[in-house]
Amino acid sequence: MTLRTPHNRFLFHLQTGFIGVLWFMVFSQSAAANSPPFPAKFTQEQAAELINDRCENCHNDYIFDGNWSVEDVDVSDIALGKNQRLWEAMLKSVSMGDMPPADKKQLTPAQKASFLHWLESSLNSYSKHHPNPGRATIRRLNRSEYANSVRDLLALDIDITQSLPGDDSGYGFDNNADVLGVSTTLLERYLSVAGKLSKLATGVAGAVATKTNYLIPKDGPVKNSGVQSFDLRANDQLPLDSRGGGSFDFYAPKAGTYEIAGFLNANTANEVDRLENLRHSHKIILTAGKHNIGLSFRKQLALSEEVPKVRKGTSYVVLPTKEPSLLELDFIIDGARVQTIQVPSYYMSARFSQAAFLRDVLEVEVIGPLQTNEDNSNTPKANDITASTRKIFVCYPVVTADSRPSAPLNAEELACAKTIMTNLATQAYRRPVSAVDTQPLLEVFQRARADLDFKGSIATSIQALLVSPSFLYIQEPRPVNIEPGQVYKLNDFEFAARLALFLWSSLPDKELSDLAAKGALREPQILSSQIKRMLNSPKAQALTDNFAGQWLYLRNLPHHFPDVFEFPQFNVPLKQAIGRETELFFTRILKDNASIFDFLNANYSYLNEQLATHYGISGVKGSAFRKVSLDQQTNRGGLLGQASILTLTSNPNHTSPVKRGKWILDNLLAASPPPPPPDVPALVAEHNGIALSAREQLAKHRADPVCAACHVRMDPLGLALEKYDAVGAFRHTYANQEIDVTAQMPDGSKFEGLNGLHSILWDRRERFAQAFTDRLLTYALGRGLEPYDQPIVRKITQQARTQDYRIHSIIEAVVSSTPFNYKKAPEANNENQQIVKAH
């Protein structure tokens, strides 16, 4: 039995394939309101009777709503694994209360419960007896995974994500195997980055002085009025009494003398000058490795700098009222002041006067190494030893006349190179390696050794390792004894690789690899202990950055720019603060193993003074974030009370109830509406010259039946949040009207504002638990979920229920699930294996 498309059907305008079932399946009730409930044991025959009797009016061969007809459906299909997509969509739409809609006669609670229990049990039973882990497309490391893997492989703490192109997303995440393609340009970029990293890690880089520049971000003016947020410019790496400066991470390739310089200007938004008399520098000796380099002025207890006010527009040069005074400029290395010089408090030119603004640092540059102590030894000096060199060079050959560059390769060097590359390849390839794996790397070493010394040749071999297919791709070849179509278990090394990618976006560490080698990693107590250890590691920050950053759209925040004239208070520090609040909120739920329901209605959040002021919450002082208890009077709580979500789901100059409602359906309920038709009309912002409220605009929009089908589900959710403006601040009026935040769900449930929305979501908390599990499993597997995965989602959720839906219990259930531990062999013998080989 397959779905067919009869000719000459009258199609609803908004057909969208099987997903349309979620929105358009209508049960027409014929039984009396006082009809007796269905018996507790609901049979397959009764299900067929219900579907044929209640669905046929709309889902027939002529109207064909939702792209399906009762003529194409047979309840026996479930036991045969047919039409799973249709049955799962039916289960979701009825359980969500979307069907029957409010204007149709409702199923009695007993009828609904019996039908849903039968449908869910039937789907779960088929899944249990016919396990399907799904396809597993060969997967390339995305740029975050590549950067983290290189960091852990070479012990090289450098952020290289901006050096690599961004990755496409599929099913909401950029680790989706189906969209992680490879091009010649991308491979060239990997090769270039790998060359730089291998030289830094081995200490080969730094033979020639280079310049590294860092442009300090500006807070920006408020409506170009010259009012700056200069006191907020200090970061956590600078001393507490710093202002008007900044710092950045710098990796010194060698120990030696470096020049640190800063270009001074004023805290304005249009600074372009790099004049030599605005440059101040200091030379200092740095050890090899990572440092934090900064320059800043000092914040006075009583502000002593005189700041004239701009009164005649931006073209008017403000003349200072007195001669410049001397200010202390600090050079800061790794949080400590190493040098202080005195500089004038302002600079005058024919075009501008810095006296109108407080002096600050515009740009920092580091030049070097200017001088190093080189020798011909393979063994580095103490100041050149870094975490990378300690990890890579587990051995050093003795330097002789025959081991210099261009000299013949000796046996000691080759043996040491083999030891080094075997150690690195074992971790990089996520499995034990053989001579077949290391031979290509040693051949690279031997060819490079003809022109380079030992360390330079090792660097070249590491470059080859970093672009090797076994490192770039997650490879899980089928065992030789597995038949086509057979489901088989991954070996422990493959499982460890999946686990490390899931929780760390990186490589397995030695502890995971050792347990995998012993075959003990999957033992329940050991696995639970390892998951807890991994989640407590700093590397678990990857879950916040990569999972939460995409699930909650936080990655979009740097690219979202609210209108500065509509929202002058929304400056760069506030944008950073609202993102930081949500990151800390997710991280603490993860670290504290709290219930995932805290995402819905937690009565706490993480605020600093600026964000608390934005929220209208008193008693929070200082720029540091801290946990703050909330009550209903604060009009905050859960994700939907946070400015990051409210801002990202708004337009630059006004709110969007549609975007907010869709975000809730997508991310909190996994009930995404179908995409709008291409000719959907825009909202009408005013009528007869009078501005319309969002509620009035949407009411006119829903007058079109084509639009109403989806908006009836999105709009109530978004309208409940209308008292939050486009940057998340609370308000009471819009367009000179009192804002009405009452709403009604399609099933007739009425609610009001954020607190009412919390209640609506709480009533659907089981649906949220499944939605969260759906997103987490999608991220963990690196592929989109299919209908046959939904019974697994329900099973994970049921397991979490016994532990109060704590987030660790869901993570452990995902890691123990069938699709995370098993693969299905290709159905045909002649189907190509998705394995990449080095040549």
Side-chain angles (χ1 to χ4, degrees):
M1 179 191 66
T2 58
L3 292 179
R4 50 190 170 85
T5 307
H7 296 289
N8 301 322
R9 290 193 177 102
F10 173 72
L11 297 179
F12 193 75
H13 291 176
L14 203 59
Q15 288 179 358
T16 55
F18 290 116
I19 193 64
V21 174
L22 180 58
W23 303 105
F24 306 119
M25 189 183 76
V26 178
F27 288 103
S28 57
Q29 301 261 51
S30 59
N34 59 354
S35 57
F38 276 37
K41 185 176 181 181
F42 194 73
T43 65
Q44 180 172 290
E45 291 73 20
Q46 290 171 314
E49 179 183 352
L50 175 65
I51 293 173
N52 285 318
D53 183 48
R54 310 299 173 85
C55 305
E56 196 273 337
N57 283 351
C58 297
H59 299 285
N60 53 57
D61 283 353
Y62 299 98
I63 300 178
F64 205 60
D65 267 358
N67 279 353
W68 72 282
S69 168
V70 293
E71 299 298 327
D72 299 323
V73 173
D74 192 309
V75 291
S76 63
D77 290 348
I78 299 180
L80 301 175
K82 294 182 179 180
N83 294 326
Q84 286 179 303
R85 186 179 301 275
L86 176 61
W87 294 113
E88 287 290 347
M90 188 183 297
L91 175 63
K92 182 185 289 186
S93 62
V94 176
S95 63
M96 283 282 294
D98 294 322
M99 300 299 156
D103 59 347
K104 300 294 182 180
K105 199 168 187 179
Q106 300 293 301
L107 291 169
T108 67
Q111 288 173 332
K112 181 177 179 179
S114 297
F115 177 72
L116 289 176
H117 178 74
W118 169 82
L119 184 54
E120 181 176 317
S121 300
S122 300
L123 290 167
N124 292 348
S125 176
Y126 178 83
S127 175
K128 179 180 179 180
H129 294 94
H130 302 84
N132 185 356
R135 55 185 174 80
T137 307
I138 187 170
R139 176 175 159 191
R140 171 178 65 81
L141 297 179
N142 65 24
R143 69 172 180 175
S144 295
E145 293 166 343
Y146 183 85
N148 292 343
S149 296
V150 170
R151 175 200 66 199
D152 294 340
L153 176 66
L154 302 180
L156 190 63
D157 190 7
I158 297 178
D159 183 11
I160 61 168
T161 54
Q162 300 306 313
S163 300
L164 296 170
D167 299 293
D168 293 330
S169 294
Y171 293 89
F173 298 102
D174 65 0
N175 67 344
N176 186 278
D178 290 337
V179 299
L180 288 172
V182 178
S183 65
T184 303
T185 303
L186 182 62
L187 286 177
E188 289 176 350
R189 192 64 184 161
Y190 272 115
L191 188 62
S192 173
V193 170
K196 295 177 182 178
L197 292 173
S198 61
K199 291 177 181 178
L200 283 174
T202 55
V204 173
V208 179
T210 60
K211 181 190 293 186
T212 303
N213 295 77
Y214 172 69
L215 186 64
I216 296 179
K218 293 288 185 178
D219 298 338
V222 178
K223 287 189 177 180
N224 290 322
S225 66
V227 180
Q228 301 293 318
S229 303
F230 58 89
D231 280 344
L232 298 176
R233 296 281 299 285
N235 60 35
D236 293 340
Q237 285 74 40
L238 298 177
L240 288 176
D241 57 343
S242 301
R243 74 143 187 89
S247 68
F248 74 108
D249 290 332
F250 171 77
Y251 194 92
K254 285 184 178 297
T257 301
Y258 290 79
E259 181 184 17
I260 300 171
F263 285 97
L264 305 186
N265 214 311
N267 196 8
T268 59
N270 54 349
E271 301 173 344
V272 295
D273 295 276
R274 301 293 189 276
L275 303 179
E276 189 60 30
N277 58 350
L278 298 177
R279 184 180 186 272
H280 298 269
S281 65
H282 173 66
K283 291 182 180 178
I284 190 172
I285 296 176
L286 296 177
T287 57
K290 184 179 179 181
H291 298 278
N292 189 266
I293 310 293
L295 280 86
S296 74
F297 292 95
R298 298 192 186 184
K299 184 187 302 183
Q300 304 297 327
L301 293 178
L303 190 62
S304 60
E305 295 104 335
E306 182 176 341
V307 184
K309 295 181 180 179
V310 179
R311 294 186 177 87
K312 296 186 179 181
T314 56
S315 63
Y316 175 72
V317 176
V318 179
L319 296 178
T321 58
K322 63 180 182 179
E323 292 297 316
S325 57
L326 294 178
L327 302 178
E328 291 183 331
L329 176 66
D330 295 319
F331 292 79
I332 301 166
I333 309 296
D334 298 328
R337 295 184 174 105
V338 297
Q339 177 69 16
T340 300
I341 63 174
Q342 292 189 326
V343 299
S345 58
Y346 68 82
Y347 171 76
M348 286 290 297
S349 78
R351 295 187 299 103
F352 64 89
S353 167
Q354 288 191 337
F357 304 95
L358 291 179
R359 202 85 191 263
D360 71 349
V361 183
L362 173 66
E363 185 174 354
V364 180
E365 64 181 21
V366 180
I367 303 174
L370 303 176
Q371 182 180 356
T372 61
N373 296 319
E374 293 286 353
D375 60 24
N376 294 325
S377 171
N378 280 329
T379 306
K381 292 183 175 296
N383 284 343
D384 279 329
I385 295 177
T386 65
S388 297
T389 57
R390 280 194 296 269
K391 181 169 186 182
I392 294 171
F393 293 105
V394 293
C395 60
Y396 286 103
V398 177
V399 176
T400 66
D402 293 333
S403 61
R404 292 172 297 178
S406 75
L409 179 66
N410 62 50
E412 184 182 359
E413 286 186 319
L414 185 59
C416 182
K418 183 177 181 180
T419 300
I420 290 172
M421 298 315 299
T422 299
N423 284 346
L424 292 176
T426 298
Q427 185 178 5
Y429 295 172
R430 311 165 191 89
R431 56 176 172 78
V433 296
S434 64
V436 175
D437 296 305
T438 57
Q439 187 57 36
L441 301 174
L442 294 177
E443 289 176 359
V444 171
F445 170 82
Q446 291 173 301
R447 289 195 296 268
R449 187 62 185 83
D451 301 310
L452 304 173
D453 61 9
F454 176 79
K455 289 194 291 186
S457 302
I458 288 293
T460 305
S461 299
I462 291 176
Q463 181 183 15
L465 174 68
L466 296 182
V467 294
S468 167
S470 294
F471 176 64
L472 274 179
Y473 292 89
I474 308 302
Q475 309 212 41
E476 299 166 342
R478 180 181 68 179
V480 294
N481 59 338
I482 299 299
E483 298 296 327
Q486 182 178 343
V487 174
Y488 63 94
K489 196 172 187 177
L490 298 172
N491 66 46
D492 279 20
F493 291 106
E494 293 167 339
F495 174 77
R498 285 193 175 190
L499 182 60
L501 270 183
F502 174 29
L503 301 183
W504 287 346
S505 295
S506 186
L507 303 170
D509 63 0
K510 187 176 187 301
E511 189 168 340
L512 284 178
S513 298
D514 288 347
L515 288 170
K518 296 175 183 177
L521 181 56
R522 283 187 172 108
E523 293 179 10
Q525 290 185 344
I526 292 178
L527 179 57
S528 178
S529 174
Q530 286 300 307
I531 291 174
K532 288 180 172 61
R533 177 183 73 87
M534 295 175 73
L535 292 176
N536 286 327
S537 166
K539 291 190 284 188
Q541 179 65 29
L543 271 178
T544 299
D545 296 338
N546 301 328
F547 171 68
Q550 295 179 88
W551 171 46
L552 302 176
Y553 298 0
L554 296 180
R555 284 190 180 181
N556 298 343
L557 193 56
H559 312 291
H560 185 84
F561 300 97
D563 190 313
V564 295
F565 294 99
E566 287 288 334
F567 308 104
Q569 79 277 20
F570 195 83
N571 55 19
V572 173
L574 182 57
K575 177 187 279 193
Q576 294 171 344
I578 66 174
R580 187 62 179 152
E581 175 193 17
T582 306
E583 290 173 355
L584 288 173
F585 182 68
F586 178 88
T587 300
R588 290 321 310 172
I589 289 176
L590 182 67
K591 295 291 185 183
D592 296 342
N593 191 22
S595 167
I596 61 169
F597 295 146
D598 279 9
F599 290 122
L600 296 182
N601 55 9
N603 62 352
Y604 63 88
S605 192
Y606 293 84
L607 311 177
N608 65 0
E609 182 175 1
Q610 185 175 25
L611 186 54
T613 301
H614 185 64
Y615 286 170
I617 298 175
S618 60
V620 179
K621 301 296 182 182
S623 59
F625 280 82
R626 78 294 309 263
K627 186 176 181 179
V628 176
S629 297
L630 307 172
D631 55 38
Q632 291 188 357
Q633 282 66 42
T634 62
N635 301 300
R636 303 289 166 179
L639 288 171
L640 295 178
Q642 296 181 7
S644 60
I645 306 301
L646 296 165
T647 300
L648 287 166
T649 54
S650 297
N651 293 315
N653 59 355
H654 62 85
T655 60
S656 174
V658 175
K659 287 184 178 180
R660 288 176 175 176
K662 184 178 184 302
W663 187 91
I664 294 171
L665 290 174
D666 285 342
N667 296 284
L668 302 186
L669 298 175
S672 302
D679 57 347
V680 61
L683 294 177
V684 179
E686 61 179 41
H687 181 67
N688 293 332
I690 301 175
L692 300 177
S693 67
R695 182 179 295 274
E696 293 168 334
Q697 293 178 39
L698 290 170
K700 291 179 68 67
H701 194 68
R702 286 195 303 271
D704 186 340
V706 175
C707 303
C710 294
H711 281 272
V712 71
R713 291 159 178 83
M714 293 186 293
D715 294 355
L717 302 173
L719 287 170
L721 299 173
E722 263 302 280
K723 282 194 174 181
Y724 301 92
D725 67 17
V727 294
F730 194 74
R731 61 184 181 178
H732 291 281
T733 62
Y734 178 75
N736 297 320
Q737 299 182 48
E738 188 75 19
I739 297 175
D740 179 9
V741 290
T742 59
Q744 180 173 321
M745 296 296 288
D747 63 2
S749 304
K750 295 181 179 180
F751 62 100
E752 181 176 355
L754 178 62
N755 292 332
L757 183 54
H758 282 163
S759 298
I760 289 293
L761 293 176
W762 182 254
D763 291 341
R764 292 158 175 78
R765 58 190 179 276
E766 285 282 342
R767 182 64 236 164
F768 168 71
Q770 291 186 27
F772 179 81
T773 302
D774 184 291
R775 306 307 293 150
L776 193 64
L777 187 60
T778 299
Y779 176 79
L781 298 178
R783 65 168 174 84
L785 299 191
E786 301 293 344
Y788 52 73
D789 293 308
Q790 292 307 311
I792 300 297
V793 171
R794 291 191 287 271
K795 181 179 178 181
I796 292 172
T797 306
Q798 290 168 0
Q799 289 177 282
R801 184 185 302 147
T802 63
Q803 299 185 48
D804 299 324
Y805 295 96
R806 296 188 178 276
I807 193 168
H808 288 189
S809 67
I810 297 179
I811 291 174
E812 290 187 25
V814 166
V815 169
S816 303
S817 67
T818 296
F820 197 86
N821 285 265
Y822 290 82
K823 284 185 70 172
K824 186 176 183 180
E827 296 286 350
N829 276 321
N830 60 352
E831 187 173 341
N832 291 330
Q833 281 280 304
Q834 293 180 324
I835 298 298
V836 181
K837 296 181 179 180
H839 296 284

